[in-house]
Amino acid sequence: MIHLRGTAFDVVVDLSHGVPAIVYWGAPIDGPATATSALDRPLVFGLPDQIAPVSVVPEHAAGFTGRPGLLGHRRRGTHWAPRFEPLDHHLDGNRLVAVAHDPLAALRLTTTIDVADCLVVSTELTNAHESDRYLLDGLTVTLPVAEHLDELLTFSGRWTRELQPERTSWAHGAMTAENRRGRTSHETPSLLFAGTTGFGEWGGEVVGAHLAWSGNHTWLADRLGDGRRYLQLGELLHPGECSLEPGESYRTPDVVAVWSGDGLTSATQRFHRRLRARPEHPERPRPVLVNTWEAVYFDHDLDTLRDLADRAARVGAERFVLDDGWFGSRRDDTSGLGDWVVSPEAHPQGLAPLIEHVTGLGMEFGIWVEPEMVNPDSDLYRAHPEWALVTDGYEPPLGRNQLVLDLARPEAFEHVLGQLDELLGAHDISFVKWDMNRDHIAGSGSDGAAGTHDQTLALYRLLDELRRRHPGVEIESCSSGGARIDHEILRRTDRVWTSDCNDALERQTIQRGASMLVPPELMGAHIGPPRAHTTGRRHGLAFRGATALFGHLGIEWDLRSLGDDDLDAVAEVVALHKRLRPLLHHGDVVRFDTDDAFVAHGVYAPNRTEGVVSFTRMATTASLTPPPLRLPGLDQERTYRVEHVALPHERPGPGRTRPNWWETGLVATGRDLERVGLQLPALHTETAVLLHLTAT
Ligand code: DGJ
């Protein structure tokens, strides 16, 4: 029995069965032995005479009747249900590595369990046979879930509507999701939580699990006939995608899990701490950027772009990002992907005049690329049609007129690496927006087998190599908006593009979902134009600003259409963001439970001396005024000064008066702010107010 103590919760691992079994994870406990003796289960009629543990890789051969953790076989279907024995283990601080083997099946399983802010579990299968290959259909990581955690929070989504929460009661049976899009996906984010009935942001026991992987995946939440619950997460392998030759291994992606005894907010802060602890986590202030996409789309013209850059600098932007349209024949989205050379048509003098202009204004320069793709109408495809990740003999479905480039082919990999290396070497580029807009559909590698697994690893290698060669360049993970938001892509990128939707109303929910996994400094959030391009809704600057400033702020709006007063107003939002940036990007993200008509969230300084809170009315309600907003999680003993932060062009809302404290501020203890709450003004729908809290 191994007792691992993390920063906030304990994990007890039983090694006696072969594959390690996590028998307990939760609030710190005194004795690991309790976890096994006190939880010993009686035999019951109707079930096998042995109770198979819910191990990290549960075994059908041991009597486990849920979905086995390992699916695969050798020739003629043999060795399809292996059973492992313990071989060895090694404990280094809070990191346990346990090796188990099945001598009959000639398979070895090496499981790593690491506990710090999060519980991180992975396992590796090795084909130890001398001559026979093993066909692997799936290897997933299983985590038991305490039986009283009977409500699930999962996420759905689509393009421009990512990370939408869904609550389900978890009575009996299974709920599962399968993602075959070859990217983390809009539809099936690899994140789910289970908690006590009605668990909220500040109440209830909660566990959460995330698969750190950017390809296909599956997750399962299952309750067995005997009442035990488990979560299972792993890569989804296509038929025949992974065959292990003698001596070869397959390692699962990391499953990253969190526990909290006091609700979702503190559970999800642990995911943030894990990302903030990465050695490559950006420490310097996150540059406010202007992105050209919704400003000019494919219409690149040096004078226009210079004009936009002037205005970007005028409002306080620190980075200027040239989006799609600068290369090859890319004048619209039908051609050019794959040809990463500056277009003489769009930029007759090359990129230098624009870059010099941008850097001369004191801003960094960033550029858009989509290196995993190729348009059939491109020089690259004409020269190497065989480099597309398709299945020979079948007409490949296009997505946005494009195909996936098979990066697992060394020649294709070297070609793209060479072009990107040259682009970054030849220009003063500090930031790359790395996009990915087509699903992997029926993509076979050069051996004819499904190619998504190899492609995902090749993508990681490409990013790693590029970062090695250009260590100062920051990279954004974008995939038609937020289809590639996961902890593994974030090991080699510096922010995610959360959504192509810049409509502040939609963004309130999207960013709330994303905040469950990613801290604000890694979450791209832009102020779009007054009329959102993806929804047609209109919002004032105050609401758009109040929404975007909670992430890594950007502006995606044709600033050339603004007069001086409006530019000043945008500059005011940017200045406010910069003032709050140290708090926003280093503090603890807090979310508050409200009726669905409102969204309330904020960031508290880790030492609780400061905070900023946003309160949005999303829809009308039966009552005219919103209910008092309670602010849990502050220092109970401290006294805070709460002030309304005025945003430019803020409209007062429908009330005849504001609450008394509104103009002067309010002084109250953290305890009272939690217990009594704060009355806010009656708000128009689709408006937000910001509050700033300072400990006195
Ligand atoms: C999809 C991205 O999500 C957008 O932000 C933009 O970069 C376009 N691609 C460009 O084609």
Side-chain angles (χ1 to χ4, degrees), residues 41 72 181 214 279 284 305 361 416 439 462 478 491 544 626:
R41 300 181 72 84
R181 292 187 173 254
S214 318
R284 71 184 175 109
L305 292 168
L361 289 164
V416 178
D439 293 334
L462 183 58
C478 169
R491 284 183 62 189
R544 280 146 51 226

Side-chain angles (χ1 to χ4, degrees), residues 634 638-642 666-673 678 696:
L634 292 163
R638 277 183 185 263
T639 302
Y640 292 89
R641 175 161 196 82
V642 185
L666 177 93
V667 174
T669 61
R671 183 178 297 108
D672 290 358
L673 287 168
L678 271 174
T696 56

Side-chain angles (χ1 to χ4, degrees), residues 293 323-324 330 368 400 433 435 437 478 480-481 497 500:
W293 182 239
D323 211 282
D324 199 352
R330 189 76 168 172
W368 179 97
R400 206 191 185 200
K433 176 177 176 184
D435 206 345
N437 291 302
C478 169
S480 321
W497 180 223
D500 275 355

Side-chain angles (χ1 to χ4, degrees), residues 545 555 689:
I555 298 165
V689 284

